[in-house]
Amino acid sequence: MKKPTIIIGKKQIIMTCLTLMLAIAVYINYTTTPTKFTKDGESVKVAEMGDTVNYGDTEFVSASPESGEAKQVDYFAQARLDRMNGRDEAVQTLQTIMGGGDLTEDEMVVNALDAVEVSKLIECEGTIESLVKAQGFEDCVAYLDGESAKVVVKTDGLDKAQAAAIKDIILGETEISAENIRIFEVK
């Protein structure tokens, strides 16, 4: 009787390697699973606690909202967001009007000029904010409407020289008269 010969082929070698790689991946996943500490101080794997981990969720780790620093940062961030939303609505309204089809050529030109004016105001606001920050102010938000300018700066105290420097920046970037410029400070 002939002894059966075991033939090890390429398929068996590949299957063995894949199985071994899967076992290694499972082991690495188990050892690197994040741990949480219970109230008793015991470390427990997240998977053992039954908690689910949602990747992509945010967790705030900076200053608490009650602190003054966080309120200032929130003010400037919220002001920029509100201004951007208002501008986006204005641009969308202009686009809707221009796409209406019932407009005469003169009305189309007027709407195009309005769109150009909005884009100029947005560009000027960004330039003014950058130049005011370059003067040494920590943060700044500028509001332009074509006839007046309002600038909010983060400062511990605004003296006359600083206010004059901000006014000069605005006068250099826009055609707004000096009496229509308002500067506000946030501490």
Side-chain angles (χ1 to χ4, degrees):
M1 183 159 150
K2 241 180 178 185
K3 199 176 198 188
T5 58
I6 301 176
I7 300 175
I8 300 177
K10 290 181 184 177
K11 290 182 182 178
Q12 287 80 15
I13 292 173
I14 292 173
M15 289 300 290
T16 304
C17 289
L18 289 174
T19 306
L20 183 62
M21 287 175 32
L22 180 62
I24 291 170
V26 169
Y27 174 75
I28 290 173
N29 186 32
Y30 177 76
T31 58
T32 59
T33 302
T35 58
K36 286 191 176 183
F37 291 96
T38 62
K39 291 180 182 178
D40 303 332
E42 253 179 70
S43 68
V44 179
K45 298 277 185 192
V46 172
E48 294 172 5
M49 290 180 56
D51 291 345
T52 58
V53 177
N54 293 326
Y55 295 104
D57 284 352
T58 58
E59 183 176 331
F60 295 106
V61 294
S62 61
S64 66
E66 291 78 41
S67 69
E69 183 72 24
K71 287 180 183 175
Q72 289 173 355
V73 173
D74 289 344
Y75 170 78
F76 286 101
Q78 186 64 42
R80 284 189 183 93
L81 184 63
D82 291 343
R83 182 184 66 195
M84 185 179 66
N85 288 339
R87 298 288 183 184
D88 289 344
E89 288 175 14
V91 168
Q92 193 170 26
T93 302
L94 282 173
Q95 288 175 344
T96 306
I97 291 171
M98 290 176 78
D102 297 358
L103 300 176
T104 64
E105 193 171 314
D106 291 337
E107 291 173 330
M108 291 286 278
V109 170
V110 169
N111 288 338
L113 290 174
D114 287 344
V116 169
E117 183 66 27
V118 169
S119 67
K120 283 182 182 178
L121 290 175
I122 292 170
E123 184 181 340
C124 284
E125 286 172 345
T127 304
I128 289 170
E129 289 173 3
S130 298
L131 292 173
V132 169
K133 287 179 187 177
Q135 292 289 322
F137 293 100
E138 197 171 325
D139 210 346
C140 170
V141 177
Y143 300 97
L144 301 176
D145 63 10
E147 297 174 6
S148 66
K150 296 171 189 76
V151 177
V152 181
V153 292
K154 181 178 179 182
T155 180
D156 290 330
L158 192 65
D159 60 17
K160 290 182 181 184
Q162 291 172 324
I166 294 172
K167 256 187 182 177
D168 286 342
I169 290 170
I170 296 169
L171 291 172
E173 293 298 319
T174 65
E175 296 177 5
I176 296 172
S177 63
E179 59 269 358
N180 291 334
I181 297 174
R182 301 286 180 255
I183 301 172
F184 303 93
E185 63 181 303
V186 174
K187 294 184 180 186

